[in-house]
Amino acid sequence: MNPAPNLVMVGPMGAGKTSIGRRIAERFSLDFVDVDHAVIEENGASIPAIFEAVGEAGFRAREHTALARLLDGEGQVVASGGGAVLDPANRALMRERGFVVYLHVGVETQLARVGRDRNRPLLQGVDRREVLTRLLEVRDPLYREVADLVLDADRLTPGEATAALVGRLAREWQRSGVDAA
Ligand code: S3P
């Protein structure tokens, strides 16, 4: 049992952190928040525009600020960006303030979901399969390090993944005052 005040979704681009996170929030009567959206709001600029203006390092600093602010709250499902686990300070915050769910999917699933996406700067003008493979190699150990629960979501629809998670969370995650509806 883990009395963390928030649920944090981690995993690579295209894992379903937002779509599944929203469903989980509804099911447990929690607020849904998204770190990328918080970065966009706090900076008044899109993710590609932020990468363009201040580079990946500048984006990561803003991502950390947004994550820290959101995790200050409670009763939320927090969808993080795929690279948020790179920063050890983010991993520490997630573990301190959240029950962390790793949505694991392979590169084929990611490619099918983000294949034509224009909103993810790391995937523009590159061999996406090669980049996604490399990112997953580096990040998979970090997702696992921070996770309280790992769900293999590769062959699951968002609805199926949600159902599987609801069952496991009801058993494994306990937050005072919140019960599965
Ligand atoms: C990134 C993932 C994106 C976004 C940014 C960088 C990454 O979020 O934060 O484009 O480094 O994997 P999603 O995982 O929600 O796509």
Side-chain angles (χ1 to χ4, degrees):
M1 287 298 184
N2 181 327
N6 298 288
L7 271 181
V8 180
M9 314 296 289
V10 300
M13 294 180 262
K17 300 182 295 288
T18 300
S19 57
I20 296 166
R22 277 190 196 286
R23 288 171 157 87
I24 291 289
E26 201 175 310
R27 184 68 177 74
F28 285 91
S29 300
L30 301 168
D31 294 325
F32 175 80
V33 294
D34 182 299
V35 177
D36 279 347
H37 287 166
V39 171
I40 293 166
E41 270 174 27
E42 287 172 12
N43 294 278
S46 69
I47 303 287
I50 293 171
F51 267 74
E52 174 93 28
V54 293
E56 181 173 350
F59 169 76
R60 296 292 170 211
R62 286 158 178 76
E63 180 179 49
H64 172 75
T65 302
L67 180 74
R69 181 176 64 77
L70 292 175
L71 284 179
D72 217 26
E74 58 180 42
Q76 315 165 101
V77 175
V78 179
S80 63
V85 294
L86 292 170
D87 181 345
N90 288 348
R91 299 202 297 280
L93 264 177
M94 288 174 182
R95 292 208 55 80
E96 197 183 308
R97 298 289 301 163
F99 182 92
V100 184
V101 174
Y102 172 21
L103 293 178
H104 175 265
V105 295
V107 169
E108 293 306 324
T109 300
Q110 287 182 261
L111 273 172
R113 293 184 183 165
V114 303
R116 273 180 277 279
D117 187 276
R118 294 267 161 272
N119 230 357
R120 290 171 166 111
L122 295 179
L123 300 181
Q124 306 312 310
V126 295
D127 178 336
R128 292 183 169 200
R129 183 184 301 276
E130 198 259 319
V131 168
L132 288 171
T133 301
R134 182 168 45 78
L135 291 179
L136 199 55
E137 263 168 31
V138 171
R139 296 172 177 183
D140 180 73
L142 302 176
Y143 295 136
R144 290 183 190 280
E145 176 194 314
V146 80
D148 293 292
L149 187 164
V150 180
L151 182 76
D152 188 349
D154 229 354
R155 285 180 233 302
L156 304 179
T157 64
E160 290 167 344
T162 303
L165 264 182
V166 165
R168 289 187 58 183
L169 287 169
R171 289 192 297 276
E172 297 177 41
W173 176 53
Q174 191 187 51
R175 186 175 80 90
S176 45
V178 174
D179 297 311

